[in-house]
Amino acid sequence: MSKLESIKCSFCEESAITIINYAKLRLCKKHFIEFIQKRVLNTIERYDLIKNNWKVLVAISGGKDSAVMLHILSNLSKQLNFKIIALHINLGIGKYSENAKYNAEKLCNDLSIPLILLDIKNIIGMNLLEIKRKNKRPICSICGLLKRYFINTIAIETKANVVAIGHHMDDLLSYVIKNFILQNINEISKLGPKTETKELFIGRIRPLYEISEKETSLYAFIQNLPRVEESCPYVDESSMEFEIKRFLNNMELRNPNFKIAFARALAKNINFYKKEEEEIKKCIKCGMPTSRDICAFCRLIEKTIGKSINVKNELKEIIEKLKVV
Ligand code: SF4
Ligand code: ZN
Ligand code: ZN
């Protein structure tokens, strides 16, 4: 018998499956699920993430974090009266992307949520690996740029009020510390529970802001959510973020509540990190927001395929097919 099987849940007679040290609770499956769902609801209310009647575009990677986010938002959508559209971007990273797409589709099917499936090869004519071969930039930097551009464009085209991203507390706090070490101070201002919509930059929300990585994994496991188990082959486990995550977990062991206290203090002080607003222009090629004349996406595409492309026309077809606007 494992150590936990002999311990009872704090709320019922069932055996506890986990101990939540910072809340001084031992929880069975049912009460753990309720605890996490309640915590996300509190996060939405505490930081005013979603308003009545909103349309929320939920970006799903096919992995556990965004699967957990979508599952919980789907449960809360009736209670809080908001609509959900999911978006999955197929990057074309071999078997990994095939599995990710399969799981994203299965999850949306199970939850009856409309899904926009965007295959970058259909739009750009190349997958991520082919684009990388033509550029010196690191693959994750290209991937991030493409995802940000497509997510924002889809959010505008679907008239979404906000985009929900599946970053959990450990991801966010490790990015914050990394950016502090590198003195990318303005980046920290984007890592709170939300960013506001500014002209054509649609705001982001992070419903898992106060949920840890361990809690996210356990929730996905208990609910048996469709998810790709392996990480993207380009995740670098020797990177600074992973080292910082280990540090944060050690601190949490010594001082339960450390991470949540850090996350809440950051949310309170988030405006402190904002630098003066840059003038936002419209890209002369695609009309999307940029601080230069041509946006980073159009510059990358022109360099890669030697011409610009009209992404909006391509996307309109995909969206119209779904009839979700
Ligand atoms: Fe993209 Fe993979 Fe890099 Fe993540 S690890 S940014 S999915 S290439
Ligand atoms: Zn219980
Ligand atoms: Zn552009």
Side-chain angles (χ1 to χ4, degrees), residues 17 28-38 40 64-76 103 106-107 110-111 214-227 229:
I17 53 142
C28 67
K29 275 188 194 174
K30 172 175 169 267
H31 285 110
F32 171 74
I33 295 295
E34 280 182 18
F35 176 81
I36 296 297
Q37 292 181 348
K38 184 87 199 305
V40 174
K64 66 172 173 27
D65 305 338
S66 50
V68 169
M69 169 178 67
L70 185 65
H71 187 264
I72 298 176
L73 288 182
S74 157
N75 274 322
L76 293 174
N103 283 292
K106 174 147 189 0
L107 179 69
D110 291 355
L111 298 174
K214 194 176 143 214
E215 289 164 340
T216 309
S217 303
L218 186 57
Y219 187 100
F221 174 76
I222 294 174
Q223 297 280 27
N224 196 19
L225 298 181
R227 62 203 186 276
E229 293 285 355

Side-chain angles (χ1 to χ4, degrees), residues 238-302:
S238 64
S239 69
M240 199 195 304
E241 283 101 315
F242 281 83
E243 201 50 56
I244 296 169
K245 277 186 186 174
R246 282 189 277 274
F247 158 77
L248 287 168
N249 284 334
N250 281 333
M251 292 298 286
E252 181 78 18
L253 268 181
R254 276 194 253 159
N255 183 4
N257 207 35
F258 171 81
K259 289 194 244 182
I260 287 186
F262 182 8
R264 288 189 182 162
L266 175 76
K268 203 169 148 204
N269 293 326
I270 203 78
N271 289 334
F272 173 80
Y273 299 98
K274 276 192 187 139
K275 68 171 183 198
E276 272 186 32
E277 311 260 321
E278 277 183 346
E279 188 200 346
I280 300 179
K281 303 176 188 172
K282 275 191 177 177
C283 170
I284 56 171
K285 299 274 180 190
C286 70
M288 293 297 279
T290 174
S291 56
R292 303 187 25 189
D293 290 338
I294 301 179
C295 74
F297 175 82
C298 288
R299 277 184 275 132
L300 175 83
I301 295 306
E302 283 200 9

